[in-house]
Amino acid sequence: MSKNTGSIVHESLDALFEDSSFLPELQNEEREKALRSIRSILSTPNHVYKSFLRLPLNNGEIVRIPAFRVQHNNILGAYKGGIRFHETVNEDEVINLATLMTLKNAVHDVPFGGAKGGVIINPRNFENEELNLICKKYVRYFSDIIGPDKDIPAPDMGTSEREMDWMMAEYKSIHPGESYLGSFTGKSIVNGGSLGRKTATGKGVYYSFRYMLYDFLNQNKDWLGSQNNQYANKLIALKNKPLNIAIQGFGNVGSIIASEAFRCPYLENKIIAISDRNVTLFHSDGLDITKLINYTQGNYGDLPKNEKELEKANISAKIMPRDDLLTLDVDVLFLAALEDQIHMNNMNNIKTKVIVEGANSPITGKADLFLNKKKKIIIPDILANAGGVIVSYFEWMQGRDTKFYTEDEVNNQLFEKMKKTFEIVYPKYFSDHFSLRENCYIQAVMKLSIVLYKQGKLY
Ligand code: NAD
């Protein structure tokens, strides 16, 4: 587990130990013992599975590809978490991401546990038939441990609805006569996917921000003013102000954040910078997001990266080095690319007032501490990017009922579910000394602990 997730789980338990309303039936030595047990349970995964998938390449060579499935905890329901295809996948990262899934589901009250999968490949280096075989092999090698009531994978970096369709089809072949629609989520609509699933993470990320800067701020302005707290003062200072926004990453999550921000009727947003794996595009008057989305759709997801491509996209922008986006003087920075983007070496240069984490763990533990000391408002991954798993839960329910919701129904239920969490954690954040991430972890750990205790798992 990364130091970040692990240490915050420990700190959450320390905070809960002091809270007399938390499990009041446990006192003194019994309380200490119970908290040590919870610490031990939540800081380790239930299972770590590793296989080397045997893959005959199209050129006749056989290669063995390392693949993981980590099941962290299932006290709240079946294990749930994406499968990542990326060359940097490693066991610690998969364990950390599985842990984050347990906590994310707990804080948003989604009845699933936490899991994660990973395959160490760069999918761009494989032909489609080879990728199809990798997906089938992943399901075959892990077929005993996955399923609609055991462990339900979903897409993550490097995988999409295409891979989920392939995997579900393989699951169906291996388990004839059994229900299969709930075995994978993030599938295509024609294969039992949910309307609104593709946009859910990006929409949820933007909503976590909009809810704080518009709904929560407007409804609680006087209360926030009375808190005399630096986070609350910072938030109030952003009220009724045009907001300069930068977005790192322009894939599934980043492009939806951008389009939500671009056409948001509630806030005066100006997206002055976006970046992808190649470049940063900047315009102080704001970028035309609709044109950029149209361009990326015809160009393998990449933004224009030179003057010729900008002209082709009919976009006026300055091309800057990719990582310059992170240190721009903006009001809000959305991180929607990769892990560890703000770290020891660039944390001193971060000028934005608000950071929203669309990606998982885009800020290292040390940088997170540093930025919190600087009183930057950070809306963390566990809170902001749960839209995907929430709509996955809706997809799983729809697959079981074989009754499907409209896109508006999905979006409305997504916002309602996230709002319930915001209503718990935002007031706490603006009135106590914990960061928003710590508040979310405390909330998640509290729920998991109470369920563990009530199910008799602490004996
Ligand atoms: P994606 O592959 O669709 O897009 C990633 C984007 O990041 C691309 O535009 C890519 O060019 C860009 N990028 C890569 N390296 C970069 C760099 N160094 N600097 C700037 N940009 C860079 O992936 P996605 O689905 O949008 O996921 C983005 C992040 O969000 C990942 O960390 C993922 O784990 C997380 N996430 C995704 C979902 C989901 O539903 N897709 C859910 C939760 C979390």
Side-chain angles (χ1 to χ4, degrees):
M1 182 184 310
S2 94
K3 218 172 169 191
N4 196 7
T5 314
S7 60
I8 300 177
V9 167
H10 285 217
E11 282 157 24
S12 304
L13 282 164
D14 291 342
L16 286 168
F17 184 76
E18 303 298 331
D19 178 352
S20 55
S21 65
F22 169 68
L23 289 176
E25 49 277 65
L26 292 173
Q27 290 294 326
N28 305 325
E29 247 178 64
E30 216 191 342
R31 187 173 180 81
E32 279 178 27
K33 198 172 61 190
L35 269 91
R36 277 203 304 278
S37 309
I38 297 167
R39 202 179 296 261
S40 168
I41 293 169
L42 294 184
S43 58
T44 44
N46 286 356
H47 307 286
V48 177
Y49 299 98
K50 180 173 183 181
S51 292
F52 291 87
L53 312 181
R54 180 188 187 278
L55 182 76
L57 295 176
N58 282 351
N59 68 8
E61 184 187 341
I62 304 289
V63 290
R64 298 271 257 163
I65 297 176
F68 299 94
R69 187 72 188 164
V70 171
Q71 297 177 331
H72 175 258
N73 193 283
N74 63 348
I75 195 75
L76 297 181
Y79 297 107
K80 182 95 191 78
I83 301 175
R84 176 172 293 196
F85 282 8
H86 200 273
E87 53 211 334
T88 63
V89 163
N90 61 74
E91 188 171 317
D92 280 349
E93 180 190 80
V94 188
I95 292 174
N96 189 42
L97 292 169
T99 311
L100 191 60
M101 285 305 297
T102 302
L103 297 162
K104 198 181 284 182
N105 288 330
V107 77
H108 288 282
D109 212 11
V110 173
F112 287 134
K116 202 80 183 182
V119 179
I120 308 181
I121 53 164
N122 178 350
R124 286 177 187 245
N125 295 343
F126 292 85
E127 307 282 340
N128 281 347
E129 308 90 85
E130 293 167 338
L131 286 171
N132 174 269
L133 196 52
I134 292 171
C135 289
K136 287 182 180 167
K137 290 277 174 118
Y138 189 93
V139 177
R140 278 182 219 161
Y141 278 56
F142 297 122
S143 76
D144 287 346
I145 58 158
I146 57 178
D149 293 307
K150 293 183 191 166
D151 183 349
I152 308 138
D156 193 76
M157 234 192 305
T159 55
S160 64
E161 64 180 31
R162 181 184 70 169
E163 285 74 18
M164 296 306 110
D165 286 355
W166 288 343
M167 289 190 180
M168 181 199 72
E170 187 63 13
Y171 180 86
K172 187 180 165 196
S173 304
I174 297 172
H175 302 275
E178 291 180 25
S179 75
Y180 59 88
L181 282 178
S183 57
F184 288 82
T185 60
K187 307 182 293 295
S188 65
I189 304 298
V190 71
N191 274 312
S194 175
L195 290 167
R197 169 63 180 84
K198 256 196 203 162
T199 54
T201 304
K203 274 183 186 282
V205 173
Y206 184 74
Y207 184 56
S208 70
F209 157 77
R210 190 209 94 188
Y211 187 86
M212 183 188 278
L213 270 89
Y214 181 78
D215 309 56
F216 183 74
L217 177 51
N218 284 329
Q219 287 157 21
N220 299 283
K221 189 166 176 295
D222 293 341
W223 176 81
L224 280 162
S226 71
Q227 292 307 302
N228 196 20
N229 141 333
Q230 288 192 56
Y231 292 121
N233 294 343
K234 211 161 234 177
L235 185 65
I236 292 168
L238 290 168
K239 188 171 161 55
N240 301 329
K241 181 183 172 305
L243 298 168
N244 280 342
I245 294 180
I247 304 171
Q248 187 199 34
F250 204 67
N252 180 17
V253 180
S255 67
I256 299 297
I257 296 171
S259 82
E260 291 286 296
F262 190 59
R263 54 191 180 80
C264 176
Y266 304 97
L267 295 167
E268 211 181 313
N269 293 326
K270 198 163 57 169
I271 303 158
I272 63 165
I274 53 175
S275 67
D276 72 356
R277 65 199 178 94
N278 301 308
V279 284
T280 287
L281 299 182
F282 176 87
H283 199 302
S284 56
D285 293 338
L287 294 159
D288 187 329
I289 298 302
T290 311
K291 280 188 192 164
L292 284 167
I293 290 179
N294 286 341
Y295 180 85
T296 53
Q297 280 170 353
N299 288 280
Y300 304 101
D302 285 345
L303 291 167
K305 50 186 173 302
N306 53 44
E307 293 302 333
K308 205 169 145 207
E309 291 180 4
L310 275 177
E311 209 173 296
K312 190 173 154 207
N314 192 17
I315 287 282
S316 150
K318 183 175 153 195
I319 295 180
M320 291 167 49
R322 184 188 72 189
D323 294 343
D324 282 12
L325 172 130
L326 297 170
T327 52
L328 288 171
D329 190 1
V330 289
D331 298 305
V332 190
L333 171 64
F334 286 90
L335 299 172
L338 302 170
E339 283 81 21
D340 300 340
Q341 294 303 294
I342 301 186
H343 44 71
M344 287 275 281
N345 299 333
N346 63 7
M347 64 189 188
N348 267 302
N349 303 325
I350 302 298
K351 299 179 196 74
T352 182
K353 300 169 189 80
V354 180
I355 301 176
V356 191
E357 295 184 337
N360 289 317
S361 310
I363 305 178
T364 66
K366 281 204 172 115
D368 191 47
L369 277 176
F370 175 84
L371 296 172
N372 275 302
K373 279 204 183 110
K374 293 246 167 197
K375 301 294 171 198
K376 307 272 186 205
I377 295 175
I378 302 175
I379 308 183
D381 47 10
I382 181 174
L383 189 65
N385 75 16
V389 72
I390 292 173
V391 175
S392 276
Y393 163 48
F394 300 158
E395 180 178 338
W396 179 78
M397 287 198 292
Q398 293 170 82
R400 304 200 127 206
D401 296 349
T402 52
K403 193 173 142 213
F404 293 87
Y405 312 146
T406 65
E407 190 161 351
D408 279 349
E409 283 169 337
V410 170
N411 289 336
N412 291 339
Q413 289 187 64
L414 165 67
F415 295 148
E416 270 311 302
K417 192 136 192 66
M418 292 189 83
K419 186 173 150 200
K420 280 196 181 135
T421 315
F422 302 153
E423 283 171 349
I424 297 171
V425 293
Y426 284 171
K428 288 194 173 151
Y429 169 55
F430 287 108
S431 57
D432 69 20
H433 62 282
F434 292 111
S435 70
L436 187 51
R437 192 186 314 277
E438 287 164 340
N439 263 298
C440 291
Y441 274 59
I442 290 170
Q443 185 64 24
V445 170
M446 181 166 69
K447 166 138 196 204
L448 288 159
S449 305
I450 293 172
V451 176
L452 282 165
Y453 173 67
K454 287 193 180 284
Q455 288 193 18
K457 301 286 184 189
L458 302 184
Y459 294 106

